[in-house]
Amino acid sequence: MAPDAVIVGTGPNGLTAGATLARAGLSVELYEAGATIGGGLRTESLFDSDIQHDICAAVHPMALASPFFKAFGLQERGVEMLHAPASYAHPLPGGAAGIAYHDLDATQAGLGPDGRRWRRLMRPLLQHSDGIVDLLLSDQRSLPRDPVAALLLARRVLAHGTHLASATFETEEAKALLTGVAAHAVGRLPSLTAGAVSMLLGHLAHGTGWPVPRGGSARIADALTAEITAHGGTFHTGRRISDLAELPRSRAVLLDVSPKTLVRITAGRLPTRYRRALARYTYGPGAAKADFLITEPVPWTNQAVGQATTVHLGGTQADIFRSETTTAAGVLADEPFVLVVDPVVADPERARPGKYPLWAYAHVPNGDTTDPIELITSQIERYAPGFRDTVIAQRGTSAAQYEEYNPNYVGGDIGTGAMTIRQSLLRPAPRTNPYRVPLPSVYLCSAATPPGPGVHGMSGYYAALAALHHEFGIRGRPSLGPVRDFGSTTRADMAP
Ligand SMILES: Cc1cc2nc3c(=O)[nH]c(=O)nc-3n(C[C@H](O)[C@H](O)[C@H](O)COP(=O)(O)OP(=O)(O)OC[C@H]3O[C@@H](n4cnc5c(N)ncnc54)[C@H](O)[C@@H]3O)c2cc1C
């Protein structure tokens, strides 16, 4: 029988779209190019069958804060989110370090003369955290539900997303600590979008936190897959779709793909204006990743750094502004921004005696083909001398190879599109409903739509709601929480 809806791509957004449609009582079929389900949520053994490595996403501030995942109930479904004492750390040359503890008081205490400034920055955001998350993980088309949150955010973005940022803190530790979070926007610094990213992720570090799922990111994909399957959905892996004509007939098609792929698989059927807008869509710098198997915890010069799962490397604020801007201009920086994830700090069961997984990626120009192992190893060595000697096995993935692995990471851009102001608001093209592709019954649901990159599942959720409304006449939102009697979740479950 023909499915009600077909989804191409099983990243977090394809899966949240699938789960939303399945919970609305529709039959869904999902097609995935890779051998396994999950997109950016895969966890695999790479060197040793005992040790699991996250292949892409590893740390989940956004999944924990996301309205979709809150309603879905990750923890109730057995996905245990584990926190390290510190959300992230930023060592500096010479041995000093800024540490963002989960606990705001501890962070304040560690930042000396800037402690109170850090608190004044973060505490109001924490008090309005739901409003901040609502705003930044919205479809960018709705009015803010918490105007105070919007105001707090706007003031902070202007202060920290511009060159004024250099004057907001006194110490290099506090300046670098915030700049490292801004660098998650992967682009020229400072910038207003990076300022917004630093406020979202920065305050979550002291709120819901920057956790890792026990056992790896694939546990999130497993929970979504189980939900879709329990509601009758089916998966086809190893099926890269090259033309929409390859898909079975259905009432809606949702695409968890890049705009580049969208143009290709619609094979000349897109209206010229939309196709031109997609041709103008730009991709940001790439990520080049190193996976390591090491014999012992990273020997950080500043031992406090070892309390964090995420470590930002790249020197002072001025160094990072320079290296990120150089990278965005298409030049490989000598000392690029490197983000290290040590999941064992929060999830010790991922290690075995003498065997620890570790990953790190460097920001590099889009499409760069350099094997990043040496670049990343020497950057870690600067802050953890002796690290090189702990490595038993390693694997480098260049930015160009990331696109081969997952076509959504165009040129290694793990955000599926540069986070410029324009593209933060108008991804992938200026349209009233960014999820609707101007072709009958076709929707885009990847990170190339609002609210953009990260594992929050909101793009998939919003695209599914749009499809429910326009293709099936369903205006309510399906309930998403765990239910015991799966047979009872039908269209009748819909909230008004
Ligand atoms: C190294 C790395 C580290 C990251 N770290 C984090 C992190 O710690 N926290 C965080 O929140 N985010 C992180 N991210 C970003 C996050 O993974 C992405 O933003 C997120 O996965 C985007 O979800 P998506 O569903 O839009 O696309 P993806 O997860 O990219 O999934 C798209 C899926 O669609 C499939 N596909 C594409 N085209 C086709 C086709 N034509 N036919 C069939 N299938 C197709 C792909 O194979 C893929 O499985 C990281 C990304 C990378 C690469």
Side-chain angles (χ1 to χ4, degrees), residues 186-189 283-286 321-333 363-366:
V186 200
R188 182 179 60 79
L189 282 180
Y283 295 91
F321 279 3
R322 206 170 26 250
S323 67
E324 285 293 272
T325 303
T326 303
T327 308
V331 178
L332 189 60
H363 292 174
V364 299
N366 189 282

Side-chain angles (χ1 to χ4, degrees), residues 254-269:
L254 284 81
L255 303 170
D256 184 7
V257 306
S258 70
K260 184 177 166 185
T261 300
L262 175 60
V263 171
R264 199 164 40 77
I265 69 177
T266 46
R269 292 182 285 254

Side-chain angles (χ1 to χ4, degrees), residues 30-411:
L30 294 94
Y31 289 80
E32 168 54 51
T36 54
I37 294 165
L41 284 174
R42 295 188 179 108
T43 306
E44 292 168 13
S45 69
L46 291 178
F47 313 109
D48 181 307
S49 57
D50 274 356
I51 305 291
Q52 297 287 303
H53 300 255
D54 287 322
I55 306 302
C56 302
V59 182
H60 295 285
M62 290 204 247
L64 209 53
S66 148
F68 174 89
F69 282 115
K70 277 187 173 166
F72 182 71
L74 272 180
Q75 327 229 27
E76 294 92 312
R77 293 170 190 270
V79 182
E80 200 182 337
M81 292 293 205
L82 305 174
H83 298 265
S87 296
Y88 63 97
H90 194 123
L92 288 165
I99 314 281
Y101 291 97
H102 195 188
D103 178 23
L104 184 58
D105 293 339
T107 311
Q108 177 179 352
L111 285 175
D114 277 328
R116 290 183 60 167
R117 289 190 191 99
W118 190 271
R119 185 180 197 83
R120 276 204 300 273
L121 177 67
M122 296 298 175
R123 209 172 125 72
L125 297 177
L126 286 164
Q127 286 163 336
H128 288 269
S129 189
D130 286 349
I132 301 289
V133 170
D134 240 31
L135 189 64
L136 293 177
L137 294 190
S138 77
D139 61 2
Q140 314 292 347
R141 299 293 184 278
S142 344
L143 286 173
R145 277 197 279 175
D146 178 351
V148 179
L151 206 64
L152 286 170
L153 187 66
R155 284 180 49 188
R156 284 162 171 73
V157 167
L158 285 176
H160 295 276
T162 62
H163 280 286
L164 293 174
S166 336
T168 47
F169 292 112
E170 199 178 300
T171 62
E172 289 300 346
E173 287 88 335
K175 286 183 193 179
L177 197 58
L178 196 61
T179 307
V181 192
H184 284 239
V186 200
R188 182 179 60 79
L189 282 180
S191 79
L192 294 174
T193 22
V197 167
S198 70
M199 292 305 126
L200 174 65
L201 298 179
H203 95 278
L204 289 176
H206 311 295
T208 44
W210 287 26
V212 301
R214 185 187 291 281
S217 292
R219 301 294 82 80
I220 299 176
D222 293 346
L224 289 161
T225 305
E227 177 71 346
I228 295 168
T229 310
H231 287 82
T234 51
F235 288 86
H236 305 269
T237 50
R239 288 286 306 274
R240 180 172 297 223
I241 302 302
S242 314
D243 191 312
L244 289 184
E246 294 164 24
L247 297 171
R249 193 178 283 279
S250 67
R251 285 173 64 188
V253 176
L254 284 81
L255 303 170
D256 184 7
V257 306
S258 70
K260 184 177 166 185
T261 300
L262 175 60
V263 171
R264 199 164 40 77
I265 69 177
T266 46
R269 292 182 285 254
L270 289 174
T272 312
R273 205 158 141 212
Y274 186 74
R275 191 157 29 85
R276 284 202 184 126
L278 293 189
R280 284 194 298 272
Y281 188 78
T282 58
Y283 295 91
K289 178 165 176 263
D291 291 289
F292 297 106
L293 186 63
I294 54 180
T295 52
E296 59 193 73
V298 181
W300 300 111
T301 303
N302 186 322
Q303 290 186 3
V305 173
Q307 298 176 76
T309 33
T310 301
V311 181
H312 299 143
L313 305 178
T316 63
Q317 178 183 65
D319 294 336
I320 297 170
F321 279 3
R322 206 170 26 250
S323 67
E324 285 293 272
T325 303
T326 303
T327 308
V331 178
L332 189 60
D334 293 337
E335 291 185 24
F337 182 79
V338 167
L339 189 150
V340 182
V341 173
D342 184 345
V344 177
V345 179
D347 185 3
E349 288 168 18
R350 293 209 211 171
R352 297 284 174 276
K355 291 188 266 183
Y356 292 69
L358 187 88
W359 84 221
Y361 64 67
H363 292 174
V364 299
N366 189 282
D368 193 85
T369 54
T370 316
D371 181 324
I373 287 288
E374 188 46 42
L375 199 65
I376 290 173
T377 305
S378 26
Q379 189 69 310
I380 300 177
E381 274 281 323
R382 280 187 189 99
Y383 303 95
F387 166 74
R388 196 184 288 278
D389 303 329
T390 70
V391 177
I392 318 170
Q394 57 193 19
R395 180 185 86 154
T397 307
S398 70
Q401 285 169 330
Y402 252 116
E403 183 172 354
E404 288 164 27
Y405 169 70
N406 178 344
N408 285 30
Y409 305 145
V410 178

